[in-house]
Amino acid sequence: MTRTIDLDQQARNILEMNDRGGYTIPTKGLYPYQWNWDSAFAALGFAQFDCARAWAELETLFSAQWPDGMVPHIVFHKADPGYYPGPDVWGGIGPIPSSGITQPPIAASMARLIYEKDRELGAARIRALFPKMRRWHSWFMRWRLDQGAVCVTHPWEAGRDNTPEWDGPMARIDPVDVGEYVRRDTQHVDGSMRPTKYDYDRYIWLVQMGRRLDWDQEKLLTENPFRVADPTMTFTLLRAQRDLLALGQMLDLDVTDLADEIEILEQGARTLWNPVLESFDARDVRNGDWANCVSNASFLCWYAGISSEGQTRQLQRVLDKVQFGVPSHDPESDKFDGRRYWRGPTWAVMNLLIGLGLEDMNHPLAGQVRNATKTLIEENGFSEYFDPMDGSAAGGQGFTWTAAVWLSWAGRS
Ligand code: DGY
């Protein structure tokens, strides 16, 4: 008990330490700006003790919304030379310097959870945010659908930078003309826990291409060699649209077309079922190839309101192969690497989303996912991610989203 209280306090301290006034950085050094989905998780963390601060987090994020509706993945409120690629490399065209890509749309789903903590305050704050969230979601519907599934146009967009799901499409990119640049991430954490140079060259090449095309979605649609229908984006947008519909109906806001959009996304989600792999999977839009990967994003189906016996069998299998699930990549795959970012490690935030979905559906594995997350944090602290084999901490430390997961879910008795 004492230990839990202590951890609650530590988690609050992390949120407060990473608070830059209206927005929260993921961790000092490695990620010194406002990241889109990190921020939405931070808001959920703040809501456990300060709902007004939670709403401010989301409001600051949406103040960076682009004229076309996109909400960028990084907002560069204040220059920090410790991060690369910074605002001048991206050349974002929004009202605040930003990157040119987006991230998984979880803000509306977090907003619904925050609203439930204090309905009176929530009703007042959500009114201004609601149309902005709808515009962001409409931007996905307009520019990012493939057979109703939602695509990513850069590995960073899914938030799962170096997952083996991108290995096929990344191999198509020849980054010969990327030029010289200095990586900053490996100055903050050990290179063995980060993407390789092979990957990084291609990340930067894609940024340079987007900038050259002025982040024009019409042009990117035809020119970008990287376009992958992705379970993270598809399942999170489907859930976010359902949450907006629920909020809109409760508060009597404009929900025109939302039910139809949900139906399109439900059908799109079904197209991500790989019948040979017997799992939800990423699909390379440029050549139709499956990634053939069981990743932690495959297990977001329940979060999106889709039950699947086949996916349950996969979840049981991968949980049986590790000590601390849910691993970001299949532990039986030869590409599994337990400490390298999204190629194996367990991420508390993904566990939160997976766990919320399982709990909503009264799934028998819900308790196991939550307990594994609780033990991981109790024994190894608030790190960015964890080795699923021995639970050891990896990546950045004092991490905002892990603290938020503790306060809002894993550490709750
Ligand atoms: C990074 O810099 O590694 C981030 O994941 C990009 O968003």
Side-chain angles (χ1 to χ4, degrees), residues 31 35 73-74 83-85 103 156 161 185 194 200 341:
Y31 300 117
W35 259 260
H73 105 291
I74 310 175
Y83 182 79
Y84 181 87
Q103 250 181 348
W156 285 342
D161 305 10
D185 60 323
R194 296 289 304 174
Y200 230 84
Y341 218 38

Side-chain angles (χ1 to χ4, degrees), residues 10 37 137 214 262 287 327 394:
Q10 282 181 42
W37 70 328
H137 294 182
D214 297 319
I262 288 169
N287 61 10

Side-chain angles (χ1 to χ4, degrees), residues 222-406:
T222 48
E223 283 204 35
N224 189 346
F226 189 94
R227 192 170 174 87
V228 185
D230 162 46
T232 334
M233 286 296 185
T234 306
F235 290 137
T236 55
L237 185 62
L238 176 49
R239 167 72 180 242
Q241 294 278 56
R242 292 192 204 281
D243 287 325
L244 267 195
L245 180 59
L247 279 168
Q249 284 168 340
M250 280 188 277
L251 298 168
D252 210 13
L253 302 168
D254 181 8
V255 295
T256 318
D257 295 335
L258 258 177
D260 292 343
E261 292 177 8
I262 288 169
E263 214 178 295
I264 292 169
L265 292 167
E266 277 172 350
Q267 285 168 13
R270 301 269 172 213
T271 73
L272 294 181
W273 181 257
N274 177 338
V276 178
L277 185 67
E278 295 185 18
S279 176
F280 287 107
D281 192 10
R283 187 181 64 239
D284 187 338
V285 171
R286 294 304 181 214
N287 61 10
D289 285 357
W290 288 113
N292 283 312
C293 291
V294 180
S295 74
N296 50 359
S298 309
F299 302 118
L300 291 174
C301 55
W302 299 284
Y303 176 76
I306 295 174
S307 56
S308 163
E309 283 176 25
Q311 205 61 55
T312 294
R313 281 191 289 276
Q314 295 285 3
L315 183 57
Q316 188 67 70
R317 180 180 64 80
V318 301
L319 289 176
D320 286 348
K321 296 283 167 203
V322 297
Q323 289 298 315
F324 301 98
V326 181
S328 46
H329 188 58
D330 189 339
E332 293 191 284
S333 149
D334 54 9
K335 292 185 168 180
F336 175 83
D337 180 344
R339 292 186 73 75
R340 199 179 283 281
Y341 218 38
W342 291 92
R343 298 181 83 87
T346 291
W347 294 71
V349 278
M350 291 297 284
N351 283 11
L352 167 70
L353 300 182
I354 295 166
L356 288 177
L358 294 171
E359 285 168 16
D360 285 350
M361 295 207 160
N362 291 317
H363 193 286
L365 292 172
Q368 197 176 334
V369 171
R370 181 147 153 185
N371 289 338
T373 316
K374 183 168 193 248
T375 310
L376 267 179
I377 297 174
E378 277 173 348
E379 293 182 1
N380 303 285
F382 297 94
S383 68
E384 185 179 6
Y385 47 95
F386 304 89
D387 186 325
M389 294 310 183
D390 61 8
S392 58
Q397 303 305 308
F399 224 84
T400 292
W401 67 14
T402 310
V405 169
W406 176 264

Side-chain angles (χ1 to χ4, degrees), residues 19-205:
D19 185 354
R20 292 294 176 272
Y23 73 95
T24 313
I25 60 168
T27 188
K28 197 164 165 277
L30 186 60
Y31 300 117
Y33 298 110
Q34 183 176 29
W35 259 260
N36 187 322
W37 70 328
D38 292 75
S39 210
F41 287 115
L44 182 65
F46 277 117
Q48 311 310 311
F49 58 97
D50 185 349
C51 276
R53 177 63 187 81
W55 288 110
E57 186 78 30
L58 295 178
E59 287 156 2
T60 308
L61 177 64
F62 278 83
S63 70
Q65 185 166 36
W66 285 21
D68 66 359
M70 189 194 76
V71 181
H73 105 291
I74 310 175
V75 188
F76 303 110
H77 293 284
K78 228 167 59 192
D80 187 317
Y83 182 79
Y84 181 87
D88 41 330
V89 181
W90 282 99
I93 52 170
I96 301 178
S98 72
S99 66
I101 56 171
T102 193
Q103 250 181 348
I106 62 155
S109 300
M110 298 304 118
R112 184 173 176 195
L113 295 173
I114 298 164
Y115 168 77
E116 294 299 344
K117 301 286 294 178
D118 180 343
R119 287 185 168 213
E120 203 182 318
L121 178 69
R125 304 294 278 267
I126 197 72
R127 270 173 216 286
L129 275 172
F130 188 86
K132 297 179 185 174
M133 290 177 170
R134 284 222 61 190
R135 283 188 59 228
W136 185 26
H137 294 182
S138 300
W139 175 88
F140 279 109
M141 303 298 294
R142 165 79 181 82
W143 294 112
R144 293 299 172 83
L145 293 194
D146 180 74
Q147 300 172 49
V150 185
C151 301
V152 286
T153 62
H154 190 298
W156 285 342
E157 218 164 32
R160 300 181 300 115
D161 305 10
N162 65 341
T163 168
E165 284 146 285
W166 321 139
D167 288 359
M170 286 284 266
R172 245 194 328 264
I173 297 172
D174 179 5
V176 276
D177 49 354
V178 76
E180 292 292 315
Y181 63 91
V182 180
R183 274 179 79 163
R184 297 292 186 166
D185 60 323
T186 43
Q187 296 171 353
H188 299 291
V189 303
D190 192 294
S192 65
M193 298 191 282
R194 296 289 304 174
T196 58
K197 173 166 168 50
Y198 172 94
D199 284 325
Y200 230 84
D201 281 351
R202 285 158 180 78
Y203 299 155
I204 302 304
W205 186 89

